[in-house]
């Protein structure tokens, strides 16, 4: 029988512990900070502190720890069309053998914005953002299909982006 960890005796609340799988286990205050930043990534730390019951300095420390742990990122999200990228596609990749080398190679490509290993019809899904159709063809035909282990690809070209959000909250 496994015993529960002994609680910290310090007066300062613990913002995270590691779970069994090695990922941070976040407390309610850290989750509330994340939700505040999902609503507005530029929200001042003082305003966040007021909402979650911490000082500005404590919020700043918590945010830095969440960033350092890779729990979250704070970035500007753009509409690719407005910044010169006219073609987006999701590419399903079927791999023969180990998925990791293919996933790592895709991750290293500047045009690839999203890589996920999946179960189902495809082994990997990769979202690609390109300047135009010729650029997309070059990425798929000469770079992705040329990777060792890639057996096939199927492209899903985006005609219109209707929704893109990163506000799924926390659980």
């Amino acid at each position: 029988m496994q015993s529960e960890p002994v609680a910290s005796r310090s007066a300062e609340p613990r913002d995270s512990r590691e779970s069994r799988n090695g990922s941070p286990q976040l407390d309610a205050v850290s989750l509330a900070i994340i939700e505040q930043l999902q609503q507005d990534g530029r929200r001042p730390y003082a305003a966040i502190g007021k909402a979650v019951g911490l000082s500005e300095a404590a919020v700043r420390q918590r945010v830095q720890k969440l960033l350092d742990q890779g729990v979250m990122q704070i970035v500007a999200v753009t509409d690719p069309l407005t910044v010169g990228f006219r073609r987006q596609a999701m590419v399903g990749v079927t791999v023969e053998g180990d998925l990791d080398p293919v996933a790592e190679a895709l991750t290293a490509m500047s045009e690839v914005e999203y890589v996920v290993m999946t179960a189902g019809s495809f082994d990997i899904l990769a979202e690609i953002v390109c300047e135009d159709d010729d650029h997309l063809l070059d990425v798929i035909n000469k770079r992705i299909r040329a990777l060792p282990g890639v057996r096939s690809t199927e492209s899903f070209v985006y005609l219109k982006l209707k929704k893109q959000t990163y506000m799924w909250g926390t659980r």
Side-chain angles (χ1 to χ4, degrees):
M1 186 165 134
Q2 190 172 350
S3 63
E4 292 294 313
V6 177
S8 170
R9 293 179 190 226
S10 73
E12 179 142 345
R14 296 211 30 176
D15 54 347
S16 67
R17 304 175 215 266
E18 272 198 13
S19 67
R20 289 185 185 136
N21 68 3
S23 63
Q25 193 174 15
L26 305 175
D27 68 7
V29 174
S30 290
L31 294 174
I33 290 169
I34 292 169
E35 288 176 348
Q36 290 283 311
L37 289 168
Q38 284 181 325
Q39 292 169 15
D40 179 359
R42 298 180 305 159
R43 183 165 287 157
Y45 291 145
I48 295 170
K50 191 177 214 179
V52 303
L54 291 178
S55 69
E56 178 180 350
V59 170
R60 184 180 315 278
Q61 286 179 328
R62 292 258 189 148
V63 168
Q64 189 58 55
K65 186 171 183 180
L66 292 166
L67 294 169
D68 292 345
Q69 291 175 324
V71 171
M72 68 177 193
Q73 299 174 357
I74 300 173
V75 298
V77 178
T78 62
D79 175 353
L81 287 173
T82 63
V83 293
F85 297 99
R86 303 278 177 242
R87 182 55 67 212
Q88 287 180 270
M90 183 66 69
V91 178
V93 182
T94 305
V95 177
E96 207 159 37
D98 190 2
L99 302 180
D100 284 322
V102 175
E104 291 302 319
L106 290 168
T107 300
M109 294 180 188
S110 63
E111 296 88 354
V112 177
E113 297 298 321
Y114 173 86
V115 175
V116 61
M117 294 179 189
T118 65
S121 299
F122 302 105
D123 297 309
I124 297 173
L125 291 174
E127 184 176 41
I128 301 175
V129 178
C130 293
E131 295 167 12
D132 54 32
D133 287 337
D134 289 335
H135 186 193
L136 178 62
L137 179 61
D138 183 67
V139 171
I140 293 170
N141 196 42
K142 294 193 170 125
R143 294 172 56 202
I144 295 176
R145 289 183 178 158
L147 293 172
V150 171
R151 188 167 29 138
S152 66
T153 63
E154 185 172 345
S155 304
F156 302 90
V157 174
Y158 297 4
L159 298 176
K160 185 172 188 175
L161 183 62
K162 292 293 280 183
K163 180 178 181 180
Q164 181 176 9
T165 182
Y166 299 96
M167 298 195 42
W168 50 77
T170 59
R171 291 182 181 45

